[in-house]
Amino acid sequence: MAQIFAYIAHKNGVVEDSAAELAVAAKKIDAAAQPTAIVTGSGSTLDSACQGAAKLYAQVWKLDNAALAYPNGEVVRKALAKIVPAGSIVLIPHDTFGMDMAPGLSIKLDAAYAADIVGLDGLSGATLKAVRQEFAGMAHTHVTIDTAKGAVLTLRPGSFQPDGSSASGSVTDKSGDAGDLGAKRRFLQVVEAETGDVDITKADVLVSVGRGIEDAENISIAQELAEAMGAVVSCSRPIVDAKWLEKSRQVGTSGKTVKPKVYMAMGISGSFQHLGGLKGSPFIVAVNKNPKAPIFQVADVGIVENILEFMPALTEKIGG
Amino acid sequence: MEILVCVKRVPDTAENEITIKGDGTDIQRDDLVYSVNEWDNYATEEAIQIRDKVGGAVTVVTVGDSEAEEILRRQMAMGADKGILLADDAFEGSDGRGIASILKAEILKGKYDLILTGAQADDGAAQVGGMLAAMLDWPYASLVNKIEIDGKKLKIGREIEGGNQEMNEIELPCVLSIQTGINEPRYVGIRGIRKVASVEIPSHGAGDLGIAAGSVGAAAARVKRADYFTPVMGKGAEMLEGSMEEKIDKLIELLKAKGGLK
Ligand SMILES: Cc1cc2nc3c(=O)[nH]c(=O)nc-3n(C[C@H](O)[C@H](O)[C@H](O)COP(=O)(O)OP(=O)(O)OC[C@H]3O[C@@H](n4cnc5c(N)ncnc54)[C@H](O)[C@@H]3O)c2cc1C
Ligand SMILES: Nc1ncnc2c1ncn2[C@@H]1O[C@H](COP(=O)(O)O)[C@@H](O)[C@H]1O
């Protein structure tokens, strides 16, 4: 069986939730697997991240290098391509770092690549069967991955529930094997997102609009409903891309994480990047004209209507 | 600056309900509205803006069948200077690696300084740009939402979690995948499309590109779609039925119970 590796994402010395999720995914691939965690970074935060990883993995490989202090996708890829043996299966979270680093790693390792996996069956011979989504979650697929020459797989955050199992792993220092880490892309700095005029993370009730709102002028329909409900208006990404609302109102992985009591998803399809910003199990109301919209799979209450008619009617009934 | 933008023709998910064929081999494609992948449209706009600032030319390229030509024309109507279609029966069924190898072969025939792709396309893989860069041994950055030109280098912003922006310096030539929101893609009217309707679009096949048969396409694919299926979901939403009035009354009741209405 191929050796399985998990790339551990960590921040300020603490491993991210994905560390436990990848351990579960490794077991799904091969119940007998003894996956190895790879933790890259520099200095004391790296050491504490390795300690965190050792609570989940029996083996931890540590890669300490000043060039790895910030996870620059190009530099990490170079290091991993050096230390991961040919034929291995490498698991990586499908986040903005994984999307950056993993496709190129698969080329450098001459391994198969499958991205954004949401489900896994066990290996059968060299063939791995996985579940993916296409068309923004509107269609599910099984894919077969030929792992004969190894595979790099990115896994959707939140798709593999940690099973609470623990380890007391040992840390091996592999820093000497990373080779030359010079790269033609240099990390400069992180610019924090601007804070806007409202803080949607504090609202108990959000009226959230998506591309179904169709036009900048229709935003006022949502504002009127929000006013009548004593709620705040938030939105999905395309609304911000179109500059109809400020970035600070965007819910999702590249926007804000919100924890309202009630979330009104109006004309939002329910992509995983959008839902990734919804925490604390709010009561979700979805209004969408497409009865097959993926949002109805996660909402508590669903209504198939045109939001441009439904929202004004609701506002009027509430007495806005 | 010579810029190549990789574009893909995809079913427009904002316009279509995607339904799976009975036998699970494909989605129903008969009445689908196709358009250029949303992310690629931002990439094309960015390329045009860079060219207008520093000079050079923008080429749009796609791996697809003859129908894919329509999106090349659309991007040329936006302002791209040239279109190239990469079409061959041997390309059919390629996985991401296959598509990237075909694009690489075309790129090596030209002299490009900058390759732009979209961050992801219809199957959400977000893979082709990163693979292509690794094959070319050029530096890569994904999810780019800002580009500043600084001689032989670029200063770029990558969108990371929480909407924060990771600033990087990257050397040319390089490959960048573009995130939506980086610009406001210009509108293309029927008139613009008519203007480029008769422009010749060269089509290159495996032979022209020196790609060995069997090194791309379904036979070479290590990742294959086995089927489409409808997953067994949890309970899903409670769907409110009846007239709009009735739905609103029920919803107001529920909202009151859940603290959504005082
Ligand atoms: C790295 C990355 C990060 C991302 N981060 C985020 C993020 O933070 N937040 C985010 O939201 N997205 C994010 N996205 C984008 C995400 O993938 C989706 O493209 C986006 O969430 C779709 O927004 P939407 O649901 O509003 O639009 P669509 O998917 O186009 O859905 C619109 C919905 O409205 C319905 N509709 C249309 N008209 C009407 C009407 N009149 N009445 C009722 N319903 C109607 C349609 O049936 C459809 O279901 C990210 C993408 C990437 C690649
Ligand atoms: N068939 C194709 N032809 C040209 N470019 C493509 C093709 N498929 C994908 N791409 C490029 O790669 C990007 C990412 O797509 P993907 O990796 O398929 O999610 C797209 O936005 C395009 O820029």
Side-chain angles (χ1 to χ4, degrees):
Chain A
M1 282 281 185
Q3 205 177 341
I4 302 180
F5 291 89
Y7 175 82
I8 306 300
H10 57 93
K11 216 180 237 156
N12 306 322
V14 181
V15 302
E16 291 189 5
D17 294 347
S18 58
E21 297 173 11
L22 300 189
V24 168
K27 274 189 217 159
K28 295 213 162 173
I29 295 171
D30 174 5
Q34 291 286 331
T36 301
I38 300 182
V39 197
T40 70
S42 171
S44 61
T45 56
L46 172 62
D47 287 328
S48 29
C50 286
Q51 292 314 313
K55 296 199 173 96
L56 297 162
Y57 293 83
Q59 297 94 238
V60 177
W61 285 7
K62 165 173 129 171
L63 270 181
D64 191 341
N65 192 304
L68 295 164
Y70 181 89
N72 172 335
E74 290 282 286
V75 181
V76 175
R77 192 199 73 210
K78 263 190 133 171
L80 295 192
K82 257 293 183 15
I83 65 163
V84 173
S88 307
I89 294 178
V90 187
L91 308 180
I92 299 165
H94 188 77
D95 54 16
T96 61
F97 170 80
M99 291 164 90
D100 200 47
M101 188 273 283
L105 179 66
S106 76
I107 297 302
K108 295 301 179 191
L109 293 175
D110 191 18
Y113 183 65
D116 193 19
I117 289 170
V118 300
L120 279 166
D121 280 355
L123 261 179
S124 140
T127 304
L128 183 64
K129 204 167 172 192
V131 179
R132 299 191 67 254
Q133 295 180 349
E134 297 186 8
F135 307 111
M138 287 201 265
H140 283 69
T141 67
H142 288 109
V143 295
T144 56
I145 304 156
D146 176 0
T147 69
K149 292 167 132 182
V152 175
L153 312 174
T154 63
L155 309 181
R156 180 177 297 182
S159 290
F160 297 87
Q161 285 309 311
D163 58 6
S165 64
S166 62
S168 48
S170 55
V171 179
T172 311
D173 193 336
K174 290 272 179 181
S175 311
D177 299 344
D180 165 29
L181 293 180
K184 292 182 177 159
R185 172 175 142 201
R186 281 169 296 280
F187 166 71
L188 300 172
Q189 82 206 87
V190 169
V191 182
E192 303 277 330
E194 281 168 34
T195 48
D197 55 347
V198 281
D199 187 354
I200 61 169
T201 67
K202 299 252 159 69
D204 277 340
V205 185
L206 287 170
V207 172
S208 205
V209 290
R211 187 142 38 200
I213 199 77
E214 287 174 14
D215 210 312
E217 283 142 35
N218 297 333
I219 296 285
S220 60
I221 297 175
Q223 273 155 350
E224 279 152 22
L225 174 59
E227 219 160 281
M229 293 180 70
V232 169
V233 173
S234 60
C235 63
S236 69
R237 177 173 185 115
I239 305 305
V240 174
D241 288 341
K243 307 222 154 51
W244 297 347
L245 282 172
E246 273 186 70
K247 180 85 181 166
S248 60
R249 294 203 187 237
Q250 180 188 320
V251 174
T253 55
S254 61
K256 292 276 191 292
T257 300
V258 297
K259 301 177 281 305
K261 286 196 190 113
V262 173
Y263 190 72
M264 306 273 287
M266 304 286 114
I268 291 176
S269 65
S271 71
F272 83 94
Q273 289 105 343
H274 184 75
L275 299 174
L278 260 187
K279 292 277 143 74
S281 357
F283 182 73
I284 302 177
V285 177
V287 183
N288 197 300
K289 67 178 184 189
N290 177 1
K292 293 214 179 96
I295 187 81
F296 289 132
Q297 290 158 9
V298 295
D300 295 281
V301 169
I303 296 171
V304 179
E305 284 287 350
N306 179 339
I307 56 168
L308 302 179
E309 292 161 13
F310 186 84
M311 287 199 290
L314 179 60
T315 307
E316 199 180 299
K317 191 75 190 222
I318 292 171
Chain B
M1 180 117 41
E2 289 297 314
I3 311 174
L4 183 75
V5 187
C6 306
V7 298
K8 186 178 179 192
R9 177 176 178 266
V10 300
D12 187 337
T13 49
E15 296 284 332
N16 299 293
E17 256 182 52
I18 304 288
T19 47
I20 299 167
K21 274 192 182 167
D23 61 2
T25 51
D26 198 3
I27 56 167
Q28 297 281 7
R29 295 200 183 253
D30 295 348
D31 300 311
L32 284 187
V33 178
Y34 282 82
S35 56
V36 64
N37 177 37
E38 186 180 359
W39 281 266
D40 303 348
N41 212 31
Y42 286 89
T44 308
E45 175 66 37
E46 194 63 20
I48 292 168
Q49 289 188 16
I50 293 173
R51 178 204 60 196
D52 290 349
K53 227 176 273 160
V54 303
V58 175
T59 306
V60 286
V61 65
T62 191
V63 183
D65 53 20
S66 57
E67 281 177 291
E69 215 190 88
E70 76 188 22
I71 60 152
L72 295 176
R73 267 187 222 288
R74 189 193 171 281
Q75 303 315 83
M76 288 166 73
M78 271 177 93
D81 301 279
K82 249 188 301 183
I84 303 173
L85 177 66
L86 305 178
D88 199 306
D89 290 344
F91 297 166
E92 257 169 55
S94 292
D95 60 3
R97 176 189 292 265
I99 298 289
S101 349
I102 298 162
L103 290 168
K104 176 195 169 191
E106 177 63 40
I107 288 163
L108 292 180
K109 281 168 50 110
K111 242 185 133 337
Y112 299 100
D113 304 294
L114 178 62
I115 312 290
L116 301 184
T117 72
Q120 62 178 32
D122 51 342
D123 52 6
Q127 63 190 357
V128 169
M131 289 180 162
L132 179 60
M135 286 177 182
L136 290 163
D137 250 321
W138 292 5
Y140 174 63
S142 65
L143 298 165
V144 170
N145 66 359
K146 187 192 182 86
I147 302 178
E148 275 171 32
I149 294 154
D150 176 12
K152 293 233 68 97
K153 282 181 311 209
L154 304 178
K155 194 171 165 191
I156 54 133
R158 290 187 63 234
E159 187 185 72
I160 55 171
E161 274 71 23
N164 297 335
Q165 194 182 35
E166 177 196 298
M167 299 305 299
N168 289 266
E169 203 172 69
I170 191 164
E171 288 172 31
L172 292 171
C174 67
V175 181
L176 305 177
S177 93
I178 301 297
Q179 175 62 309
T180 59
I182 185 174
N183 53 40
E184 290 175 77
R186 67 198 67 189
Y187 175 76
V188 181
I190 296 286
R191 219 181 308 133
I193 302 216
R194 267 200 214 118
K195 261 199 204 147
V196 294
S198 56
V199 178
E200 187 82 25
I201 292 185
S203 174
H204 299 161
D208 308 305
L209 297 174
I211 294 175
S215 69
V216 296
R222 293 193 230 168
V223 179
K224 293 192 173 104
R225 186 189 301 111
D227 65 7
Y228 284 96
F229 70 100
T230 309
V232 200
M233 280 293 167
K235 60 179 177 55
E238 173 195 352
M239 301 303 288
L240 302 187
E241 310 289 347
S243 68
M244 183 137 93
E245 279 283 291
E246 289 166 336
K247 289 176 190 164
I248 286 176
D249 289 342
K250 269 187 235 168
L251 178 60
I252 288 178
E253 232 171 82
L254 284 165
L255 286 174
K256 282 189 174 146
K258 298 291 173 184
L261 272 178
K262 302 277 141 41

